[in-house]
Amino acid sequence: MTATLTMIIIVPLIMLMGALALFFVIRYFIKYNAQVNKRKSPQQEELDRMKIEDLK
């Protein structure tokens, strides 16, 4: 009786925690990927600097 009751309560809680953890991991990687894509490469920064110097 207690084993069945424990399984009815604990198994869904563990599954819910796993789903929430997966959700937050996916959300973290989406934010991290967006930050990486916003960063300019050193070559792009050098090109931008050259364009500014050419305009002067």
Side-chain angles (χ1 to χ4, degrees):
M1 177 74 184
T2 47
T4 309
L5 188 60
T6 306
M7 288 298 179
I8 291 173
I9 294 171
I10 291 180
V11 170
L13 282 177
I14 291 173
M15 291 175 69
L16 181 64
M17 288 171 48
L20 282 173
L22 188 64
F23 170 75
F24 284 112
V25 166
I26 291 171
R27 203 172 88 181
Y28 168 78
F29 279 117
I30 289 173
K31 282 185 179 180
Y32 177 75
N33 193 23
Q35 289 174 356
V36 167
N37 288 340
K38 284 182 185 175
R39 227 179 290 146
K40 289 186 178 181
S41 66
Q43 293 89 356
Q44 188 62 41
E45 289 179 5
E46 182 67 26
L47 283 172
D48 290 347
R49 222 175 294 126
M50 290 171 59
K51 287 178 190 174
I52 292 171
E53 288 173 1
D54 288 343
L55 291 174
K56 290 182 180 178

